[in-house]
Amino acid sequence: MDQYVYSNTNVLVNKLNIKDEKELIDVEAQLIIAGILDITSISSEINFQEYRSLQNIHHFLFS
């Protein structure tokens, strides 16, 4: 048994406890879109000359 997927599914264990693959894809897409729309809230922390800025964007969108 794979500890990283829910039993009898191919869905990775996730913070939202969603076990339906299609529902998880839809919810994750909505969360990413919301994050992209709100990215201006961290714009003062973004400097594309620094690697850390890319880490900040990734953390903002996927945490």
Side-chain angles (χ1 to χ4, degrees):
M1 183 160 110
D2 188 344
Q3 65 182 10
Y4 298 107
V5 298
Y6 290 109
S7 298
N8 302 318
T9 72
N10 291 327
V11 178
L12 289 173
V13 174
N14 57 81
K15 294 179 181 179
L16 302 171
N17 200 32
I18 297 173
K19 297 176 183 170
D20 179 74
E21 185 175 13
K22 182 178 177 345
E23 180 183 359
L24 181 60
I25 290 169
D26 291 343
V27 170
E28 285 180 335
Q30 290 172 10
L31 291 171
I32 292 296
I33 291 167
I36 290 169
L37 294 174
D38 192 34
I39 198 82
T40 57
S41 67
I42 65 164
S43 62
S44 64
E45 302 171 29
I46 299 173
N47 175 355
F48 288 102
Q49 302 299 319
E50 299 176 7
Y51 180 74
R52 179 78 182 141
S53 289
L54 296 177
Q55 292 174 316
N56 289 342
I57 292 168
H58 184 273
H59 178 73
F60 182 81
L61 292 176
F62 298 105
S63 66

